[in-house]
């Protein structure tokens, strides 16, 4: 019998991938306040995401696609799956009494959650966009869930108040997204790098597939809804022309799904930048600071990238209201810097 090639033998005895549950427990002691509360919260998100994933995968087979004919706080039409995903996350977090407050892009106001367990109050609030990019559902394109977690700033013997939610992005203790794409992934950060987990649908388990995610050192993708070109600020119009110019490694490639989680995820892996500028109609852009921009900005910075509103860092923007919007530029650091320069010069 031929002796085993030691290189091949090594390949076959590769250690099994870590599960998300194992990873959460292993890293629990990274927090100053290590009570296991944040770990339980991440586990609840993991569970809810599987339920949403199951429903998203059935879209087309059951009566779950299309509009509810209702308008949400932001004056946008709610899709049936928006409402479903919101309920699933809300229930998972409220029933388990893991957080003391919940705010969602699909709700008008935040929800106070009081805990009946041992008379103790929980310390975290969560803000969530339950189904981002939901207008893509009808066409079977990828959508996502985005979440952002803060430690409350008010005293824990009182119900949460608005100030617990209106914190600057730099105060986030964790943020992440679930991408319901060709495979389902949960990607998150607790301020110690970004890690991505892929769902094995047969087992219903997330496995660490993308440890310590970082942007490539350079990128060449720009993602923007160019249909709004004539409504963009001068600097962005010039930047788009710059991307299209044929010199010094350009033209860049244009890729836009219209689903922030999917566009961000692709740019993170391949190197690129996502832009949602102000427009004549929407001077603050379209994206919501608390539910979309802050969590994605936190992930972007943790992956070695940047996120700005064209004037400064997203994570340092003061928040005045729950559904506040902001222009958003996010991706490879050097590319975001280019955009900031174009905006400053125009
Ligand atoms: P939503 O939360 O209502 O789905 O809106 C956010 C989405 C982002 O995912 C996406 O990048 C953007 O809106 C697309 O907007 P537009 O169609 O104007 O390009
Ligand atoms: Mg959204």
């Amino acid at each position: 019998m031929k002796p085993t090639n030691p290189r091949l033998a090594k390949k076959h005895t590769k250690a099994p991938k870590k599960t998300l549950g194992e990873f959460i427990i292993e890293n629990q002691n990274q927090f100053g306040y290590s009570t296991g509360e944040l770990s339980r919260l991440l586990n609840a998100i993991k569970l809810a995401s599987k339920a949403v994933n199951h429903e998203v995968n059935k879209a087309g087979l059951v009566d779950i696609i299309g509009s509810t004919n209702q308008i949400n706080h932001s004056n946008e039409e709610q899709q049936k799956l928006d409402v479903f995903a919101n309920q699933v996350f809300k229930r998972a977090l409220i029933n388990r009494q893991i957080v003391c407050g919940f705010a969602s892009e699909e709700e008008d106001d935040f929800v106070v959650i009081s805990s009946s367990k041992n008379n103790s109050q929980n310390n975290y609030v969560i803000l969530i966009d339950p189904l981002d990019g939901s207008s893509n559902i009808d066409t079977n394109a990828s959508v996502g869930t985005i979440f952002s977690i803060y430690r409350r700033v008010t005293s824990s013997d009182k119900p949460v108040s608005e100030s617990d939610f209106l914190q600057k992005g730099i105060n986030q203790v964790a943020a992440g997204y679930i991408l319901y794409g060709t495979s389902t992934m949960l990607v998150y950060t607790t301020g110690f790098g970004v890690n991505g987990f892929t769902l094995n649908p047969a087992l219903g388990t997330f496995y660490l597939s993308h440890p310590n995610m970082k942007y490539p050192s350079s990128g060449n993708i720009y993602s923007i809804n160019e249909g709004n070109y004539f409504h963009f600020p001068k600097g962005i119009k010039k930047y788009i022309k710059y991307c299209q110019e044929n010199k010094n490694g350009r033209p860049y490639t244009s890729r836009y799904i219209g689903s922030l989680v999917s566009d961000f995820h692709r740019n993170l892996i391949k190197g690129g930048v996502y832009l949602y500028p102000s427009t004549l109609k929407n001077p603050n852009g379209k994206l919501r600071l608390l539910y979309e921009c802050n969590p994605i900005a936190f992930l972007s910075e943790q992956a070695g990238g940047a996120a700005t509103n064209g004037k400064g860092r997203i994570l340092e923007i003061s928040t005045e209201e729950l559904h506040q919007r902001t222009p958003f530029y996010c991706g490879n650091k050097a590319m975001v810097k280019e955009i900031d320069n174009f905006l400053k010069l125009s």
Side-chain angles (χ1 to χ4, degrees), residues 146-344:
I146 309 175
F147 61 90
S148 166
I149 299 168
Y150 294 84
R151 207 173 158 84
R152 67 181 300 173
V153 286
T154 54
S155 159
S156 63
D157 54 1
K158 298 203 174 77
V160 279
S161 68
E162 201 177 39
S163 56
D164 293 309
F165 295 92
L166 299 187
Q167 299 189 50
K168 284 187 181 173
I170 35 170
N171 291 351
Q172 288 171 104
V173 292
Y177 58 80
I178 297 106
L179 170 59
Y180 311 100
T182 35
S183 61
T184 297
M185 280 194 75
L186 191 153
V187 176
Y188 82 101
T189 182
T190 52
F192 298 90
V194 177
N195 290 285
F197 300 80
T198 302
L199 180 67
N200 178 333
L203 303 178
T205 308
F206 282 101
Y207 289 95
L208 179 61
S209 50
H210 296 62
N212 197 18
M213 295 173 85
K214 293 276 174 218
Y215 283 102
S217 52
S218 62
N220 71 348
I221 296 174
Y222 71 107
S223 313
I224 185 169
N225 184 346
E226 279 185 63
N228 292 329
Y229 182 86
F230 287 104
H231 304 274
F232 287 150
K234 242 197 226 149
I236 295 300
K237 286 181 181 162
K238 284 190 186 156
Y239 175 73
I240 292 173
K241 290 295 153 215
Y242 165 83
C243 293
Q244 295 168 344
E245 250 170 11
N246 192 17
K247 55 179 168 188
N248 302 334
R250 283 167 283 140
Y252 290 162
T253 296
S254 167
R255 291 280 181 276
Y256 188 71
I257 298 171
S259 167
L260 172 62
V261 171
S262 321
D263 282 309
F264 172 76
H265 187 76
R266 184 209 42 246
N267 293 347
L268 171 56
I269 287 177
K270 299 211 160 181
V273 74
Y274 172 95
L275 307 89
Y276 211 107
S278 57
T279 60
L280 290 177
K281 202 170 120 207
N282 299 311
N284 293 321
K286 174 182 181 190
L287 300 186
R288 268 104 340 179
L289 177 62
L290 293 176
Y291 311 109
E292 292 160 330
C293 303
N294 273 338
I296 296 291
F298 189 19
L299 288 158
S300 187
E301 289 196 4
Q302 285 291 316
T308 75
N309 63 356
K311 292 188 185 125
R313 200 175 161 209
I314 287 289
L315 296 182
E316 287 179 28
I317 296 177
S318 300
T319 42
E320 272 124 44
E321 58 128 352
L322 280 177
H323 296 277
Q324 188 168 326
R325 296 176 194 260
T326 176
F328 190 53
Y329 309 103
C330 169
N332 271 68
K333 216 180 231 171
M335 294 180 87
V336 173
K337 197 156 186 227
E338 275 177 341
I339 298 171
D340 284 346
N341 288 341
F342 271 94
L343 283 164
K344 267 181 210 135

